[in-house]
Amino acid sequence: MIAYFELKRTVLTLALAALLSTPATASEQDEDALTAAALGLVEARVSELGLRDPAINLVFGDLTGTGTADAIAFVSHTSGGSSEMLTTWILRQTGGTYAIGREVSNEELFGFDPRNLQFSPGCLSVTMTVPQANDPHCCPTGTRTFTIEVE
């Protein structure tokens, strides 16, 4: 099972639950704790690197085939130029904590709007919007599916 979380959506969901005083089930509490742990790690790394105006997308899935809630973090951020940069990390889940397994290089993965993610033991695939030959840098119109090795 793959779970998608965008930072703004997660914050909004938590705020609505608090306002409505909706009690969470045990599995929802576990998911919230894992989401918070993964998000905390990504936010700390974003701060450490000084990434400007980050938009964080976390996608959870099993990269080992053992039922773990691993994740990939897509962080779009300004670069000072006319377009955004993408920084991507593979997060490995062990128990209730996360560690960055590795950073995915811009040669391995680039573009905008990650979608159609497929997690498999040892790799994942993702479709991105990418520039075509005559596209301006700001406005890509092509698509490409990337396969990323997680180790």
Side-chain angles (χ1 to χ4, degrees):
M1 176 166 87
I2 298 174
Y4 292 85
F5 290 92
E6 291 182 40
L7 179 59
K8 292 177 185 171
R9 185 182 322 149
T10 301
V11 171
L12 179 60
T13 301
L14 294 174
L16 286 174
L19 286 174
L20 298 173
S21 300
T22 305
T25 65
S27 64
E28 288 173 337
Q29 290 173 348
D30 291 344
E31 287 177 12
D32 287 345
L34 286 174
T35 301
L39 188 56
L41 174 63
V42 171
E43 288 175 332
R45 187 76 177 130
V46 164
S47 179
E48 177 184 318
L49 294 174
L51 303 182
R52 296 181 302 197
D53 301 320
I56 300 168
N57 288 311
L58 286 172
V59 182
F60 293 85
D62 184 4
L63 294 171
T64 62
T66 60
T68 56
D70 304 305
I72 184 167
F74 301 96
V75 182
S76 298
H77 53 94
T78 59
S79 63
S82 63
S83 67
E84 293 186 344
M85 295 288 296
L86 178 66
T87 299
T88 307
W89 297 297
I90 304 292
L91 280 62
R92 303 304 295 261
Q93 187 254 334
T94 305
T97 64
Y98 283 89
I100 293 178
R102 76 178 192 91
E103 183 170 340
V104 179
S105 74
N106 287 326
E107 288 80 35
E108 294 174 88
L109 176 70
F110 59 89
F112 303 92
D113 190 25
R115 59 198 177 278
N116 302 328
L117 275 90
Q118 298 291 319
F119 286 75
S120 307
C123 69
L124 60 87
S125 67
V126 58
T127 301
M128 304 288 284
T129 300
V130 298
Q132 291 189 37
N134 293 319
D135 286 348
H137 192 64
C138 69
C139 310
T141 61
T143 59
R144 180 174 168 188
T145 299
F146 296 87
T147 299
I148 302 164
E149 299 292 324
V150 298
E151 297 295 330

